[in-house]
Amino acid sequence: MKNLSHPEIPLRRTRAESREETRARLVDSAIELYARHGVTAVSLQLVAEHAGYSRGAFHSNFSGKDELLDAVSSAVIASLAPQLGAILTSSADSLARLEGYIRCYVQFCAERPERAQALIAIVREQSQQQSGSYEARAGESLAGIVELFAAGQRAGQMRAFDPGMMALTLRSALDAHSMEFSRSATHSGTAQPGWEQLADEIANTFIQATRRTSND
């Protein structure tokens, strides 16, 4: 029974909390639209309207499209990076970590297809601009896998090759295959079955490409 002498008063959100909620809804709106239509075809007004806001509300929270793209990228990466980071820094040998990295990435794309497609769409858009900020972020995103390849070579588990080039090739393959895979899942509205087979095929390809043999 409620105490009538102390009526319950709904807590009012602070301005910062309200702004954070608005930004989160705009980011979610952008993720959905970018996943389905790509970045170029989606206007800022459409992002705002899809989230239930006016364009003015958008500009009260973001300075423009570049800031929105960065916010979307950060939101998606935050839901994937901890798992990938744990795999890359684990005590397993290099080839096992390589397989784990690939399986984790493909599983994410299969189970969270909108987020995966939105991120890949943004990467493609920014890579076409050839901006310095994109190149810096791309380098940071590949640093962990570059070090994994280098560690595998130092341990004698992997053959001689350019770790940077191999890391870029791996990421390109993951993005290309996962884009098609997640697109099917996005339009079907359900998690795409069979991601394990795709992950196994990519992992086997790169393990064979990097493994040191008796002939090396």
Side-chain angles (χ1 to χ4, degrees):
M1 182 174 180
K2 295 181 180 180
N3 187 340
L4 297 181
S5 62
H6 297 284
E8 295 180 356
I9 301 175
L11 295 176
R12 294 183 61 184
R13 289 177 300 171
T14 66
R15 179 174 297 181
E17 290 172 336
S18 179
R19 183 172 185 270
E20 189 62 30
E21 180 183 342
T22 300
R23 285 176 62 90
R25 286 176 60 181
L26 289 167
V27 166
D28 287 343
S29 173
I31 288 173
E32 183 178 343
L33 293 171
Y34 291 160
R36 294 182 178 275
H37 307 294
V39 174
T40 304
V42 176
S43 67
L44 299 181
Q45 182 169 344
L46 181 59
V47 171
E49 290 177 351
H50 190 65
Y53 298 113
S54 67
R55 181 170 178 136
F58 175 91
H59 286 292
S60 296
N61 289 274
F62 294 98
S63 61
K65 188 172 185 178
D66 287 343
E67 186 181 352
L68 176 63
L69 294 180
D70 287 342
V72 171
S73 297
S74 296
V76 176
I77 291 171
S79 58
L80 176 61
Q83 298 94 308
L84 293 180
I87 291 169
L88 291 174
T89 58
S90 74
S91 59
D93 68 49
S94 298
L95 293 171
R97 283 184 284 152
L98 173 60
E99 180 179 1
Y101 179 95
I102 292 170
R103 291 183 66 82
C104 180
Y105 191 97
V106 175
Q107 182 177 6
F108 176 83
C109 292
E111 295 181 348
R112 308 194 72 175
E114 281 192 344
R115 285 182 166 253
Q117 273 196 263
L119 180 60
I120 294 171
I122 290 172
V123 169
R124 288 182 174 178
E125 172 74 12
Q126 293 180 330
S127 65
Q128 292 174 359
Q129 298 174 3
Q130 296 295 318
S131 65
S133 60
Y134 163 74
E135 292 175 358
R137 286 194 298 271
E140 291 172 1
S141 71
L142 292 176
I145 194 67
V146 170
E147 174 53 30
L148 170 62
F149 287 141
Q153 292 172 334
R154 291 194 298 268
Q157 297 167 345
M158 295 184 176
R159 65 174 181 81
F161 56 82
D162 182 339
M165 182 62 69
M166 188 65 75
L168 183 59
T169 302
L170 172 59
R171 178 58 61 79
S172 298
L174 285 171
D175 286 349
H177 289 290
S178 298
M179 185 70 163
E180 285 301 317
F181 200 79
S182 61
R183 181 181 291 115
S184 298
T186 298
H187 292 302
S188 68
T190 59
Q192 190 78 348
W195 66 264
E196 297 94 337
Q197 181 179 353
L198 175 60
D200 286 344
E201 290 176 355
I202 297 175
N204 289 336
T205 297
F206 279 90
I207 287 174
Q208 291 301 317
T210 59
R211 186 199 303 269
R212 184 176 182 179
T213 67
S214 58
N215 296 325
D216 294 326

